[in-house]
Amino acid sequence: MVQSLGWLGFVLVVMLLNALLSFGNDWPGIGVVLRPQLAPEACVLVLGLVVFAHLRGRVPASMCSTWAAVFVLLVLVRYIDVTVPAVLGRPVNLYWDGRHAWQVLLMAWSGQSAARVLWTGCAVLLGIAALFLIVRCCAVWIGGFSSVRGGRLWAVLAGMALPVAFHMWQPWFDREGRPLFADAATPAVHRAVLQWRDAVSPARQALLLSDSPVEAFARADLAALGGGDVLVLFAEAYGAITLDDGDLAAQLEDARAVLDAAIRRDGREVVSARVVSPTFGGGSWLAHSALLSGVDTAPAGAYETLLASDRPTLTGHFARHGYRTVGWMPGLQMPWPEGAYYGYERIADVHTLGYRGPAFGYWRVPDQAAMALLHVQEFDSGREQPGRPRFVVFPTVSSHAPFRPLAPWVDNWAALEHSDAYDAATHAAVLAEPVSWSDPRPAYVASMRYTLTWLAQYLNERASPDLVLVIVGDHQPVGSVTGPGANWEVPVHVISANARLSRTLRERGFIRGVYPAETALGPMHALTAILLEAFSKLDGVEVAVDD
């Protein structure tokens, strides 16, 4: 059979193997698309098999199996390497993504039947097994073809070696000048190994943490707040794409206008800016810790190192100035011992914040309901320890990918304290709405409108006049929303009736209104010192306030 197919068969087999290591992502979604490029790793592996067959005269079955296993592993690595950036908007990080892969799978399959999950898992395993058998057959074919000695061997060697040699020469050209070759998969493995090394090595971790804003903490007396409550609200997946993408911005324009009107209704003012998040598409805790500590958490291992350190935090600083510090965490579903670093007086998770209504998907508690419970328990006049101001950190969850199921808006905030705020028919209809990972933009827009709407209504109906509300986007949404090449910027809004505070923030680069300037102030962790300065009466000098 080898002799009958000859060169045509060899070329077809090599083309198949090349396609398996040169495909790209079919954005938006998790599918693949063939690309007319050469895969350098396919050339190297085929060349190695050809040389082995020529030197040994035959390729043992065990060698074919090992070769096929390595090849299939590279195919899987390539799939991950081209799919994760398309979905999350950033390269895969083995250390971070590997630790949370199980939770991501649970979130993706929440609401699906066990039978569907089982069948999907079996289909994936069978697909990988079938791919292995196909690649192994190709290895056997190449081994048989290459064992025939003579002039054709040199043609094969040249055909494989020349593309590899040219690929080695590619870096001398800019990227636009070398579209012939697909990006190799092995650098992704090397990058993952380096990330893992940096994350688990104490010696390297010690070099990862940036300096804390020690001087800002030392000088911040929080006097400019006048004892008012402070709510730091991390708006899940609230990214600058909602401003920079014309289509998304247009769909959210009216919701932003409603929020702006609610802010101005009772004499409040909003100032806005952009900062660069340490993460993209996920990993919200990196943004939380960066702002609360003033330390850069982007490097692998920096987050763990920070939580094991004694670096100062906003929560600890507010506690020392008499504030009751609360972590309002509706997305927290398991023990969080490392949260002790922040020094919260109270941490309310999904089990303890008092929600009695039905679960809306994996994240269970709608943001509006979580805010209603937070208001009653910590901000209302009948709250516990009424003489102490509050510093509350509230990461929202309803706009988390895949942005569904999304709870309906409830006009009666008091009803959200009870179990019947959402009727059974409405709840069932919401859960029945399809979830799309390939086209999530409509659901993302709906979740952002929901967030802006409940914030506006809370300010209109329930918020105390002296509340300082800091809204920070934790990161951009997933790459299937932003598209390729999006920046890592997020909006920041500070809403208050404190004219001095707003003036100080404007002097540091914020501008009036719900639309920030197009240029980011800097990284997320740089915002900590800016807020500390705005919250304080520094050096005993009053800053003049304009009209």
Side-chain angles (χ1 to χ4, degrees):
M1 181 178 179
V2 173
Q3 295 294 334
S4 63
L5 292 177
W7 284 101
L8 176 61
F10 179 79
V11 171
L12 291 176
V13 168
V14 172
M15 288 179 64
L16 172 61
L17 295 173
N18 182 82
L20 291 174
L21 286 177
S22 62
F23 59 82
N25 172 260
D26 186 17
W27 190 89
I30 59 175
V32 299
V33 60
L34 297 180
R35 290 180 175 172
Q37 294 178 308
L38 290 176
E41 289 147 327
C43 295
V44 170
L45 287 172
V46 171
L47 178 60
L49 195 61
V50 167
V51 173
F52 185 92
H54 175 61
L55 295 178
R56 295 295 183 91
R58 58 181 293 273
V59 181
S62 59
M63 178 67 176
C64 289
S65 297
T66 301
W67 189 92
V70 171
F71 198 99
V72 170
L73 179 61
L74 285 177
V75 173
L76 296 177
V77 169
R78 177 160 185 85
Y79 178 76
I80 294 172
D81 196 40
V82 301
T83 303
V84 170
V87 174
L88 297 184
R90 58 172 174 80
V92 65
N93 185 316
L94 181 62
Y95 182 74
W96 285 119
D97 299 331
R99 297 177 65 191
H100 299 276
W102 181 245
Q103 285 183 293
V104 172
L105 290 175
L106 287 176
M107 178 187 65
W109 287 104
S110 62
Q112 304 296 327
S113 66
R116 182 176 181 182
V117 174
L118 179 62
W119 280 112
T120 302
C122 290
V124 170
L125 293 177
L126 288 174
I128 295 174
L131 179 62
F132 172 79
L133 292 176
I134 293 171
V135 173
R136 190 182 185 283
C137 289
C138 291
V140 172
W141 203 100
I142 292 172
F145 179 82
S146 304
S147 63
V148 181
R149 305 167 186 264
R152 67 174 62 181
L153 172 66
W154 298 107
V156 171
L157 292 176
M160 295 292 101
L162 287 177
V164 174
F166 187 76
H167 179 73
M168 299 291 291
W169 193 38
Q170 278 194 97
W172 293 102
F173 298 92
D174 59 26
R175 192 171 186 83
E176 290 72 20
R178 47 189 177 95
L180 179 63
F181 291 90
D183 291 334
T186 44
V189 178
H190 180 254
R191 182 176 63 246
V193 171
L194 292 182
Q195 289 171 339
W196 190 277
R197 178 203 65 183
D198 290 346
V200 301
S201 169
R204 296 188 65 83
Q205 285 182 4
L207 303 175
L208 293 178
L209 292 186
S210 63
D211 293 335
S212 297
V214 176
E215 183 177 351
F217 276 110
R219 300 177 64 198
D221 57 14
L222 309 183
L225 294 172
D229 296 327
V230 177
L231 171 58
V232 177
L233 187 140
F234 286 100
E236 171 63 33
Y238 180 37
I241 194 68
T242 61
L243 303 163
D244 300 336
D245 184 289
D247 180 54
L248 294 182
Q251 293 184 66
L252 294 173
E253 183 177 4
D254 60 336
R256 279 200 174 95
V258 170
L259 175 61
D260 188 53
I263 293 168
R264 299 177 185 278
R265 175 181 172 182
D266 292 324
R268 297 185 181 91
E269 181 181 4
V270 57
V271 291
S272 302
R274 299 182 187 218
V275 293
V276 180
S277 174
T279 184
F280 190 111
S284 305
W285 55 90
L286 300 180
H288 305 167
S289 56
L291 179 61
L292 294 177
S293 68
V295 173
D296 184 10
T297 55
Y303 175 76
E304 287 84 355
T305 303
L306 175 66
L307 265 60
S309 73
D310 58 356
R311 296 291 188 94
T313 64
L314 287 178
T315 47
H317 191 74
F318 273 81
R320 285 189 293 274
H321 285 78
Y323 279 72
R324 173 175 164 86
T325 57
V326 178
W328 198 253
M329 312 284 184
L332 187 59
Q333 304 190 29
M334 60 187 64
W336 190 42
E338 60 269 33
Y341 161 74
Y342 297 105
Y344 289 111
E345 186 171 334
R346 177 191 179 191
I347 295 180
D349 62 15
V350 67
H351 307 291
T352 60
L353 54 76
Y355 178 66
R356 298 165 58 190
F360 285 85
Y362 179 82
W363 297 109
R364 300 177 60 181
V365 184
D367 289 341
Q368 185 193 6
M371 186 67 241
L373 294 168
L374 170 60
H375 178 82
V376 169
Q377 296 178 34
E378 296 293 343
F379 290 145
D380 201 10
S381 57
R383 65 192 181 183
E384 182 183 353
Q385 301 180 13
R388 297 177 62 194
R390 266 44 173 180
F391 176 78
V392 180
V393 177
F394 173 18
T396 66
V397 296
S398 293
S399 52
H400 197 292
F403 318 115
R404 284 181 178 167
L406 185 65
W409 166 255
V410 176
D411 290 326
N412 184 1
W413 282 78
L416 294 165
E417 304 167 32
H418 308 290
S419 60
D420 57 353
Y422 305 99
D423 64 78
T426 301
H427 179 245
V430 167
L431 295 185
E433 292 179 349
V435 173
S436 175
W437 286 95
S438 60
D439 185 22
R441 284 169 70 98
Y444 175 70
V445 171
S447 71
M448 283 290 98
R449 292 181 64 87
Y450 172 80
T451 299
L452 297 173
T453 299
W454 74 253
L455 280 169
Q457 291 303 315
Y458 178 74
L459 290 170
N460 267 335
E461 299 178 17
R462 304 207 121 192
S464 167
D466 64 352
L467 175 69
V468 176
L469 174 58
V470 182
I471 303 172
V472 185
D474 55 2
H475 53 69
Q476 291 268 41
V478 291
S480 48
V481 172
T482 65
N487 61 45
W488 290 35
E489 296 174 5
V490 293
V492 181
H493 311 292
V494 180
I495 301 167
S496 78
N498 187 324
R500 182 203 179 282
L501 186 154
S502 298
R503 169 60 182 269
T504 304
L505 290 174
R506 291 200 305 274
E507 291 176 344
R508 296 299 174 263
F510 282 70
I511 63 174
R512 282 194 174 105
V514 294
Y515 291 93
E518 295 183 358
T519 303
L521 295 182
M524 177 80 74
H525 63 275
L527 182 61
T528 310
I530 295 174
L531 292 177
L532 283 170
E533 178 183 354
F535 293 160
S536 304
K537 179 181 176 182
L538 301 178
D539 297 330
V541 178
E542 282 284 358
V543 177
V545 177
D546 58 5
D547 296 330

